[in-house]
Amino acid sequence: MQPWKILALLSIPTALALTSGCAVISENECQAGLWYERGIEDGARGRSQATVYEIAQKCHEYGVRTDTTAWMRGHEEGVEQYCTPENGFVVGRRGRDYEGVCTGPTADLFIANYERGLAVYQAEQQYAALANRYEDAEREVYRIERAMDDAESKEELRALRSQRRSLLREMRHLEAEMMRFGGFGAFNPLLFY
């Protein structure tokens, strides 16, 4: 393989990371023409076959013809790397979307493990939301306690105490909720496998 093709091939993962969420493919990537390699990369990332049509459309804007046949061959190889049970769990655990690329006997195992990983991810997100709310309530209690020291009337002090009690009740409730996730201050992912 020519050195410029090797360099272009090595730059694809970096370029994909930089362009994800922006353009589907850059003009330089279109010009490089590494369609088989690009197909492997896209398949290994779990991207659907619809990706090649987005690539073709973008490259057409740059005046470059896409070899969709080579991309599809590479994509098939990449999907085989992607559709493992282990990767299913990893993809779900990271909260990534699944584009339905797995077929055949590996699909069921991939999906089962993806759903397990996704359950852990979602539980962790719920726990983080509870912990954030707890910290907010804790800061508010601290603010109220300082305001109580400066209260100018019994009515103001009574209102602040009422707010403080309400926040402390909420914090106890949040602590109890966090216990469902492994404990206060410690998310335990093993509870969700």
Side-chain angles (χ1 to χ4, degrees):
M1 187 179 279
Q2 296 177 336
W4 68 270
K5 280 192 172 185
I6 293 172
L7 182 59
L9 180 59
L10 293 174
S11 69
I12 286 176
T14 303
L16 287 175
L18 294 174
T19 61
S20 64
C22 301
V24 174
I25 191 167
S26 71
E27 184 174 2
N28 288 339
E29 290 172 316
C30 288
Q31 296 292 339
L34 300 169
W35 304 118
Y36 176 78
E37 292 82 357
R38 175 66 189 240
I40 291 173
E41 184 76 28
D42 288 339
R45 290 185 176 189
R47 295 193 175 125
S48 73
Q49 290 182 352
T51 304
V52 74
Y53 301 108
E54 295 171 15
I55 290 170
Q57 182 179 7
K58 194 67 177 171
C59 287
H60 179 73
E61 293 174 16
Y62 299 130
V64 177
R65 186 177 172 276
T66 307
D67 185 350
T68 56
T69 304
W71 185 93
M72 293 292 255
R73 281 195 326 271
H75 183 264
E76 188 175 313
E77 187 177 318
V79 164
E80 286 179 25
Q81 296 170 20
Y82 177 81
C83 294
T84 64
E86 298 80 16
N87 194 48
F89 183 81
V90 169
V91 171
R93 182 68 176 91
R94 292 181 179 161
R96 298 221 173 113
D97 290 334
Y98 169 58
E99 296 185 27
V101 298
C102 301
T103 59
T106 59
D108 291 340
L109 288 172
F110 177 91
I111 291 169
N113 283 315
Y114 171 79
E115 289 172 351
R116 284 180 43 229
L118 190 59
V120 174
Y121 172 79
Q122 290 169 340
E124 188 171 35
Q125 296 303 303
Q126 291 172 1
Y127 179 84
L130 291 169
N132 286 337
R133 179 60 195 131
Y134 185 90
E135 289 172 9
D136 291 345
E138 195 171 43
R139 278 192 292 277
E140 186 63 12
V141 165
Y142 179 70
R143 186 195 67 74
I144 288 171
E145 287 174 347
R146 284 189 319 215
M148 287 169 63
D149 292 339
D150 299 332
E152 295 180 5
S153 68
K154 288 183 180 183
E155 291 79 28
E156 183 183 357
L157 186 59
R158 193 174 309 125
L160 289 169
R161 284 181 178 154
S162 176
Q163 289 176 10
R164 183 175 176 273
R165 276 192 304 272
S166 177
L167 284 166
L168 291 173
R169 251 190 322 274
E170 181 183 359
M171 289 170 67
R172 283 192 300 273
H173 173 73
L174 290 167
E175 287 174 8
E177 285 293 308
M178 286 189 276
M179 293 303 286
R180 294 182 323 127
F181 295 94
F184 178 69
F187 174 76
N188 185 355
L190 297 176
L191 294 173
F192 302 94
Y193 282 83

